[in-house]
Amino acid sequence: EEARLLWDSTLDEVEKGLLRGPYSERQMNNRYERSEWRCMVRFAVWQGKLRCCDNAAASGHNDAAQCWETIFCTTADWPSRVAAAFYDEGVCDVLGGTDDVASAYRKVVNSEPAYTVVALTDPGTGAVSFFEVPGFNFGLKTAVIAFNSVMELTSEIMRRVYGVVCEHFFDDVVTCEPPFLGSSGQDCLWTFHDSINLAMQLKKHVPMASSVRFLGCITDFTGLRRL
């Protein structure tokens, strides 16, 4: 049953354009030279739902990858610090909302898809099929750094070019602005990310409200009016 669900989930990614395939070994050798592609074995991880994970540790991909960059992330008190900054400017009403990038790692395109191939057994035939991942595999250690660097750029663009007061923690984006701006900040966030094929996930959209949950912590902005 798990093998069937894993296969169906993989085909669903193909339908969404996040994977290419399935291919046979012969087809992969035609796409690349015989020694010029490497695959990872796909397996299932249960995180409230089945998630496809590619074993980049066992295949040696993670050992071969060099990570020259590091990651700097915001903290859960960011909405509070934004509220304090607004308060210092005489603004006592602040709202907050959150968004989440859909299929995050898969959306950041890599330059060497020959090395992000996954192998998976078709439960119907027992044959091994191969899929190309144009983005990054869940299980590849470089996926986190590569994706986060993209979100660092998009967050800076939102703030510096469009004037949206927002920040991100990997694929989670929080927006905190005064009520008179309505939902314009989040609307701009969605429009921009749509334009670069890094769309937000509708079911995880949390509209602007007087309190916001970000990284597991709730910030209640109504306290500003009592100061």
Side-chain angles (χ1 to χ4, degrees):
E1 177 65 12
E2 184 176 279
R4 185 186 64 78
L5 290 173
L6 187 61
W7 178 260
D8 290 344
S9 182
T10 300
L11 293 184
D12 182 58
E13 288 191 47
V14 172
E15 187 175 343
K16 292 177 180 177
L18 303 175
L19 270 68
R20 293 191 287 258
Y23 301 116
S24 66
E25 183 179 356
R26 180 186 295 273
Q27 288 174 313
M28 289 302 300
N29 287 332
N30 288 333
R31 294 174 70 82
Y32 304 99
E33 293 294 330
R34 183 178 294 272
S35 61
E36 294 300 320
W37 62 280
R38 296 288 186 275
C39 65
M40 312 169 206
V41 175
R42 173 159 287 198
F43 64 98
V45 174
W46 290 93
Q47 296 180 336
K49 63 177 182 178
L50 183 143
R51 173 171 288 188
C52 299
C53 185
D54 305 323
N55 199 336
S59 63
H61 284 69
N62 284 345
D63 289 336
Q66 298 295 321
C67 301
W68 303 111
E69 300 178 23
T70 188
I71 295 175
F72 296 95
C73 295
T74 191
T75 53
D77 65 340
W78 186 84
S80 296
R81 289 186 279 119
V82 169
F86 274 122
Y87 184 82
D88 288 343
E89 298 299 322
V91 179
C92 297
D93 287 318
V94 179
L95 303 178
T98 57
D99 291 288
D100 191 286
V101 179
S103 304
Y105 298 159
R106 300 283 197 264
K107 295 290 185 67
V108 179
V109 179
N110 77 79
S111 63
E112 297 179 308
Y115 296 106
T116 54
V117 176
V118 298
L120 182 63
T121 300
D122 182 342
T125 65
V128 176
S129 295
F130 300 92
F131 299 83
E132 289 178 350
V133 182
F136 282 81
N137 310 69
F138 179 60
L140 191 66
K141 74 176 184 180
T142 53
V144 178
I145 295 176
F147 176 77
N148 199 69
S149 64
V150 172
M151 292 303 295
E152 281 287 294
L153 175 61
T154 62
S155 296
E156 284 295 308
I157 291 173
M158 295 308 302
R159 291 191 291 262
R160 295 173 181 269
V161 178
Y162 299 106
V164 177
V165 184
C166 66
E167 184 56 284
H168 81 99
F169 183 86
F170 297 104
D171 57 341
D172 296 318
V173 182
V174 59
T175 304
C176 298
E177 296 183 327
F180 67 81
L181 290 174
S183 63
S184 62
Q186 286 186 308
D187 293 342
C188 184
L189 182 78
W190 274 65
T191 301
F192 176 74
H193 282 80
D194 281 345
S195 72
I196 60 172
N197 196 32
L198 204 64
M200 298 294 173
Q201 197 166 1
L202 181 59
K203 68 179 181 180
K204 291 189 176 181
H205 170 66
V206 179
M208 303 293 281
S210 57
S211 67
V212 61
R213 180 189 294 272
F214 181 57
L215 304 183
C217 296
I218 297 175
T219 302
D220 186 354
F221 298 117
T222 58
L224 285 173
R225 305 186 194 102
R226 298 193 294 269
L227 295 177

